[in-house]
Amino acid sequence: MLTGEKDCIIEDGEVYELVYEKPLTTLTGTRMHYCPGCGHSTAHKVLAEVIEELGIQEQTIGVAPVGCSVFAYDYLNIDMQEAAHGRATAVATGIKRVLPDKYVFTYQGDGDLAAIGTAETIHSINRGENIMIIFINNAVYGMTSGQMAPTTLVGMKSTTSPYGRDADFAGMPIKVSELIAPLKGAFYVTRHSVHTPGNVRKLKKAITNGFKYQQLKKGVTFIEVISNCPSNWKMTPVKSNEFIEKEMLPYYPLGDIKLPSKEDLAGLK
Amino acid sequence: MEELDIRLMKGNEAMAEAAIQAKCDAYFGYPITPQSEVLEYLSREMPGRYGIPLQAESEVASINMVYGAAGAGKRVMTSSSSPGFSLMMEGISYIASAQLPCLLVNVNRGGPGLGTIQPSQGDYFQATKGGGHGDYHLIVLAPNSVQEMADFVFLGFELADKYRNPVCMLSDGAIGQMMERVVFKKREVPAIKKDWATTGKTKDRERNIITSLFIQPEKMEQVNLSLNKKYEEISKNEVRYEEIFTDDAEYLIVAYGLSSRISHKTVILAREKGIKLGLLRPITLYPYPYKRLNELANKLKGILTLELNAGQMIEDVKLSVEGKVPVWHYGRMGGIIPSPEEVLENFEKLAKIK
Ligand SMILES: Cc1ncc(C[n+]2csc(CCOP(=O)(O)OP(=O)(O)O)c2C)c(N)n1
């Protein structure tokens, strides 16, 4: 209904009150290729919103991985580079070292960041590169259609762990955030999820911090996002959100793993 | 009068010094013999002068750092030796596809495998025929002196920027390690406009994307075709070689890098014996001097390739001469460097002059 006070839009002859708008300048408007219910689309949108609200589109350079989000640059209206599988943080290192005053982030899946790219992940964090790493943990290799990831839960079925992940055979799922948090180069480490609106709001706050803290040049901001993959988990989107709540979060608890101190944050605009 | 800057240096150090003078914005590398001096020199000299030297955790990381920094529009390089260069192949293929200008130096040592730290030319195929996956070419420069290791840094960056193509300097453990006189001329380094680089999307332009992903077959083929067009252009404009005593030559040695220095001496020894031997030294290994060799073949009785490998460049020589003259190979491996006399003796045997 039209109140006359708020912004309105007219569609098919009807007048609607505008209560929510997609970020207009930081999303290209290209229709995303993600499966229905996939957490990647939500994470992209939140990221775009933050870039828009901080007004840093002109200063931001993103690095897309190899994985389902390989086409992130089709959707995010910012300068981007597409890295080889696992090498996003090395590429980001290259960018940030020569453009130290830009905001640089990587956006990576668990196979990309925690299997093939483990060395680059650990060492870029250990060097304290002033970048943000957004780590989408969906416990599976999405793009190659559902193989076991380093983060696949014990007992969880995938195309390469058809009887469920056997920890004695394949090892335990890696808790990357807990693994890297002790490194001095990790400035801010936090875990969020996209399975409820409340959690999406918290994620947005974390990504905002992740960008802002780059001004301080004190190291990596690392934001893990527990995300769903309904297609490869072979569940409806609703069931996949329940799976996050019941199965993923007990092993990957949400919240801050490493917070900068007050003194650390002195001088932040 | 301008004072000459003359120094006595190792090839690797001369290359590193040239990188600073060529305003290389960043160097990414990982230690490996016989070229660790490069990272050491730059770690010492770049701070306070020009550029950022960063020791990566591996060659895989270095080449991807090169990708990122080159994509950000900066002048960047890496160097390594054979096993390390093999590790970079995936990244080099991405760089060639994304058309990022950069300089990649391979100070060739003996292989396969961990091999030996002694000089070799066993990486000719890898450098000139692809190495990584997919249809691509590097521009390949082959220095044969400490002076050229310095000069080809400037030339390499220039060609890389001109064609938006990675340039490989294929040196070897001997040229990298030996000390020689080198002259550094004062040069102006022109600022290059790179409006395709990811420097932050401003309002007045579309976003810039550095990628090697072209998922639609039609698009991928167009990219392949345009890359090929570029390689044709490079082949037309950039063939470089040196000729010694080719005017009246009846026989020819074709050799590059370290082998060309040995061959030069062999030619002189042959001439002293009255054998009309000449030398053609390819300076660019890609593009290769096919045409010139084909012309020369019209008046030759035979060609010897001297290579520190089992016979790799000989394939390009054979392609050049189209069967007009016999082509023989002589080479040593494992880091063993033949003497000019040894080469002459084997040439005489192969050419049945004795
Ligand atoms: C060197 C290399 N090895 C393997 C692949 C195939 N590959 C593409 S995406 C992918 C896994 C991606 O999984 P993840 O990083 O978890 O991201 P998701 O697709 O789940 O978002 C693999 C193995 C590749 N592209 N390159």
Side-chain angles (χ1 to χ4, degrees):
Chain A
M1 262 300 293
L2 182 63
T3 63
E5 281 167 19
K6 300 212 172 130
D7 289 341
C8 305
I9 51 162
I10 301 170
E11 229 176 76
D12 300 332
E14 294 282 328
V15 183
Y16 296 92
E17 192 177 289
L18 187 68
V19 292
Y20 171 79
E21 207 174 13
K22 274 190 190 173
L24 293 177
T25 61
T26 50
L27 281 179
T28 58
T30 302
R31 195 178 169 155
M32 294 188 194
H33 69 282
Y34 297 112
C35 308
C38 169
H40 274 305
S41 2
T42 313
H44 280 19
K45 207 186 64 189
V46 171
L47 178 57
E49 279 174 2
V50 173
I51 296 170
E52 176 121 333
E53 285 169 22
L54 291 173
I56 56 170
Q57 183 185 28
E58 298 198 3
Q59 291 97 270
T60 302
I61 298 146
V63 182
V66 174
C68 283
S69 48
V70 70
F71 284 122
Y73 56 75
D74 273 353
Y75 315 126
L76 297 171
N77 191 22
I78 53 170
D79 278 2
M80 286 195 78
Q81 298 196 18
E82 203 292 301
H85 194 22
R87 318 300 169 212
T89 55
V91 171
T93 297
I95 299 171
K96 186 76 182 199
R97 290 284 177 145
V98 296
L99 299 175
D101 296 324
K102 304 284 177 184
Y103 295 94
V104 177
F105 72 87
T106 69
Y107 182 108
Q108 302 172 258
D110 37 47
D112 194 83
L113 180 141
I116 194 166
T118 311
E120 286 77 8
T121 304
I122 301 276
H123 286 280
S124 59
I125 296 172
N126 193 52
R127 285 191 304 267
E129 299 294 342
N130 298 305
I131 59 173
M132 171 169 65
I133 299 173
I134 297 179
F135 168 44
I136 306 293
N137 178 357
N138 60 9
V140 77
Y141 281 26
M143 191 193 212
T144 41
S145 57
Q147 295 83 10
M148 181 172 66
T151 46
T152 300
L153 297 173
V154 172
M156 190 172 171
K157 285 183 182 169
S158 73
T159 56
T160 52
S161 57
Y163 311 111
R165 182 184 189 128
D166 173 358
D168 291 337
F169 188 75
M172 290 293 285
I174 302 179
K175 297 185 182 188
V176 183
S177 291
E178 284 82 352
L179 183 75
I180 56 102
L183 297 175
K184 187 162 179 293
F187 185 64
Y188 171 52
V189 183
T190 187
R191 184 183 286 124
H192 293 272
S193 92
V194 286
H195 74 300
T196 68
N199 278 295
V200 173
R201 277 194 293 277
K202 284 185 196 157
L203 172 63
K204 188 168 168 184
K205 186 90 195 27
I207 294 178
T208 305
N209 289 339
F211 272 119
K212 278 190 179 168
Y213 294 170
Q214 277 193 46
Q215 295 168 13
L216 298 168
K217 303 203 166 135
K218 287 186 175 169
V220 167
T221 57
F222 189 92
I223 296 159
E224 178 170 346
V225 184
I226 303 298
S227 186
N228 51 345
C229 181
S231 297
N232 288 304
W233 292 357
K234 309 210 184 314
M235 292 173 197
T236 63
V238 173
K239 278 266 182 288
S240 73
N241 283 341
E242 287 167 17
F243 184 84
I244 288 187
E245 189 73 43
K246 279 206 211 100
E247 308 291 335
M248 295 276 282
L249 298 190
Y251 191 75
Y252 300 115
L254 301 183
D256 296 320
I257 292 153
K258 187 176 191 181
L259 278 178
S261 68
K262 271 222 172 66
E263 298 85 76
D264 281 336
L265 294 179
L268 188 71
K269 274 171 271 163
Chain B
M1 243 207 31
E2 193 200 316
E3 236 175 86
L4 276 183
D5 180 0
I6 304 174
R7 309 188 198 184
L8 180 68
M9 283 179 126
K10 282 187 173 189
N12 290 333
E13 292 170 339
M15 181 222 304
E17 174 60 29
I20 299 176
Q21 295 194 18
K23 295 218 162 10
C24 172
D25 295 295
Y27 169 91
F28 304 100
Y30 187 84
I32 184 170
T33 310
Q35 64 77 59
S36 296
E37 296 84 1
V38 186
L39 178 59
E40 289 169 355
Y41 189 95
L42 292 175
S43 301
R44 195 170 67 232
E45 292 289 323
M46 270 185 155
R49 287 183 64 194
Y50 194 88
I52 298 152
L54 185 63
Q55 178 165 341
E57 61 271 29
S58 70
E59 291 84 353
V60 176
S62 337
I63 194 67
N64 286 284
M65 290 173 185
V66 166
Y67 179 102
K74 298 294 182 174
R75 183 166 263 205
V76 286
M77 70 181 281
T78 183
S79 64
S80 186
S81 180
S82 309
F85 217 66
S86 289
L87 261 188
M88 294 190 198
M89 283 302 141
E90 183 199 28
I92 293 176
S93 167
Y94 275 62
I95 285 172
S97 175
Q99 306 201 58
L100 301 178
C102 56
L103 179 62
L104 318 167
V105 183
N106 180 0
V107 183
N108 200 165
R109 64 188 238 183
L114 195 50
T116 160
I117 58 173
Q118 301 302 324
S120 158
Q121 296 182 319
D123 299 351
Y124 179 89
F125 280 151
Q126 187 194 55
T128 61
K129 309 289 172 191
H133 58 286
D135 274 306
Y136 76 88
H137 279 290
L138 307 175
I139 297 170
V140 185
L141 303 172
N144 83 343
S145 63
V146 171
Q147 182 68 53
E148 282 191 347
M149 279 199 78
D151 291 346
F152 289 0
V153 170
F154 294 92
L155 176 63
F157 278 131
E158 193 186 306
L159 293 174
D161 284 330
K162 182 173 173 191
Y163 293 101
R164 270 193 73 181
N165 205 70
V167 171
C168 169
M169 189 186 331
L170 183 61
S171 184
D172 63 63
I175 308 285
Q177 287 295 326
M178 70 187 185
M179 290 184 93
E180 269 183 340
R181 184 187 117 111
V182 51
V183 183
F184 289 96
K185 281 187 246 151
K186 277 226 163 56
R187 311 181 201 225
E188 286 302 313
V189 178
I192 311 253
K193 199 162 154 263
K194 300 180 177 177
D195 51 14
W196 45 265
T198 59
T199 51
K201 183 208 166 305
T202 46
K203 293 202 173 58
D204 55 353
R205 65 159 170 85
E206 293 291 303
R207 69 195 191 286
N208 283 338
I209 295 161
I210 302 296
T211 187
S212 66
L213 174 65
F214 309 101
I215 203 108
Q216 273 109 10
E218 294 77 15
K219 182 83 216 281
M220 184 74 247
E221 189 178 46
Q222 284 311 312
V223 171
N224 284 137
L225 289 171
S226 81
L227 284 178
N228 250 50
K229 227 171 125 191
K230 177 169 81 173
Y231 301 144
E232 273 168 29
E233 191 70 12
I234 291 169
S235 303
K236 221 187 299 159
N237 302 336
E238 307 300 345
V239 177
R240 287 168 169 77
Y241 53 85
E242 184 189 358
E243 291 184 37
I244 292 163
F245 294 130
T246 50
D247 288 349
D248 63 343
E250 290 176 358
Y251 296 94
L252 188 70
I253 301 186
V254 183
Y256 70 93
L258 177 59
S259 304
S260 68
R261 293 175 71 118
I262 303 163
S263 302
H264 192 164
K265 202 64 195 284
T266 303
V267 165
I268 291 167
L269 292 175
R271 291 269 162 176
E272 280 166 7
K273 289 176 80 174
I275 303 168
K276 289 188 171 167
L277 185 60
L279 170 66
L280 184 134
R281 167 170 85 100
I283 293 172
T284 51
L285 301 180
Y286 185 92
Y288 197 77
Y290 290 114
K291 228 172 95 190
R292 182 58 188 148
L293 270 170
N294 186 285
E295 283 163 14
L296 284 171
N298 292 331
K299 50 168 199 167
L300 292 172
K301 293 182 184 162
I303 299 178
L304 176 81
T305 67
L306 177 68
E307 305 177 68
L308 302 183
N309 60 37
Q312 298 189 19
M313 185 184 67
I314 187 173
E315 293 191 4
D316 281 319
V317 176
K318 283 185 173 170
L319 275 175
S320 306
V321 305
E322 294 174 322
K324 288 182 200 170
V325 286
V327 182
W328 311 290
H329 163 78
Y330 185 68
R332 296 296 300 267
M333 285 168 285
I336 294 170
I337 301 172
S339 68
E341 291 79 8
E342 178 183 336
V343 177
L344 181 59
E345 200 184 309
N346 281 279
F347 160 71
E348 286 174 326
K349 257 187 238 158
L350 288 161
K352 301 197 170 67
I353 290 177
K354 259 190 180 160

